[in-house]
Amino acid sequence: MGSKKSATAHSVAIAGFHTLLKRIAQCQDPREKERLRQQMDETYGGLDGYQKESLKGRDRHNAGETGKWLVQQVGPIWKAEQEASGKRRIRLLDVGSLSGTAYHKYKWIDPVNIDLSPQSERVIKSDFFDWPLPQNEAACFDCVALSLVINFEGNLFRRGNMLLHAHKHLTKAGFLFLVLPLACVENSRYLDHARLRAILHACGWNVVEQNDSAKLTRWLCQRRQDQAQAGWDGTSFKKEEIRKGPSFNNFCIRVGQQGREEKT
Ligand SMILES: C[S@@+](CC[C@H](N)C(=O)[O-])C[C@H]1O[C@@H](n2cnc3c(N)ncnc32)[C@H](O)[C@@H]1O
């Protein structure tokens, strides 16, 4: 009973934080933006306060669950490849890594953990968009993980840009691992599985595996090889209602010309 109560309080805190993040991202008035930031600090203890709530939630809901699914999908192939060729360990950029624990137990994976607000020394403080780009193929990652990160971003174009930006860090046949709360596709006015698949395709990704758990939707994608330079194929995605009714949430990902220039 007690734990159910605290789980509810935890969910309410997280939902409130995400609503504020979105309002800050959408707000055009600098004074109002500042006021909302103050409200975030006072109510949630800022980003750091959110991270601590997030960690509590992960402890309750089986920390590392998303990493485990990825390893089940590609682990045997990666491991065999590495052993056969004596290749370096699989290089994985874990964006929004929080405490940097998702991949540390797999000896054949070499994770680089980044986060806007790290919660352990394993994690480097950096925005994904500011992380230095590789200078050659050898410095590229084999996989970029965006696990519960895109839904954290309040700006709809920046969400789409994350899907495009991942290409810049990957080897030619590199993977993108995308995880979202299931409600983002099951219960959104603007997104469902088919539309997310279309967005991923337009952003240069082939979906290799897709699976939903009780709370999460998980997508393992590989760079499309059918484009001279894998990336955006020019298809735009606007905020279009695909489900009507008051009970749906407003989660949306936008892709378009404006978003290609927009970083903030
Ligand atoms: C809900 S946590 C996800 C933690 C973990 N990846 C997981 O799957 O449980 C979202 C994290 O993404 C981070 N984040 C959001 N946007 C980011 C960005 N542009 N660059 C780096 N980290 C970002 C946040 O700071 C936050 O710690």
Side-chain angles (χ1 to χ4, degrees), residues 47 50-51 54 58 66 95-96 98 115-117 126-128 147-149 152 158 162:
L47 183 53
Y50 167 85
Q51 310 282 42
S54 223
R58 272 179 19 139
T66 63
V95 181
L98 203 61
D115 201 298
L116 294 175
S117 174
S126 173
D127 188 318
F128 179 34
S147 173
L148 300 175
V149 175
F152 183 97
R158 254 174 81 105
M162 283 186 175

Side-chain angles (χ1 to χ4, degrees), residues 113-124:
N113 307 303
I114 63 170
D115 201 298
L116 294 175
S117 174
Q119 293 299 301
S120 99
E121 286 178 356
R122 278 199 200 96
V123 184
I124 303 165

Side-chain angles (χ1 to χ4, degrees), residues 85 120 135 169 215:
S85 63
S120 99
Q135 298 303 308
H169 290 282
K215 294 202 166 169

Side-chain angles (χ1 to χ4, degrees), residues 240-263:
E240 283 161 353
E241 227 176 41
I242 52 170
R243 292 186 183 112
K244 286 191 194 300
S247 63
F248 297 116
N249 67 57
N250 289 323
F251 185 79
C252 177
I253 297 175
R254 290 200 64 179
V255 180
Q257 203 55 50
Q258 182 194 350
R260 289 188 62 79
E261 273 83 54
E262 192 173 346
K263 276 184 72 182

Side-chain angles (χ1 to χ4, degrees), residues 141-183:
F141 288 96
D142 300 294
C143 183
V144 168
L146 291 171
S147 173
L148 300 175
V149 175
I150 283 189
N151 56 300
F152 183 97
E153 170 59 58
N155 181 302
L156 308 190
F157 277 111
R158 254 174 81 105
R159 288 179 181 167
N161 269 351
M162 283 186 175
L163 300 176
L164 293 170
H165 188 69
H167 286 288
K168 297 189 178 158
H169 290 282
L170 285 169
T171 56
K172 288 194 183 76
F175 290 88
L176 169 72
F177 177 44
L178 174 69
V179 182
L180 291 169
L182 186 57

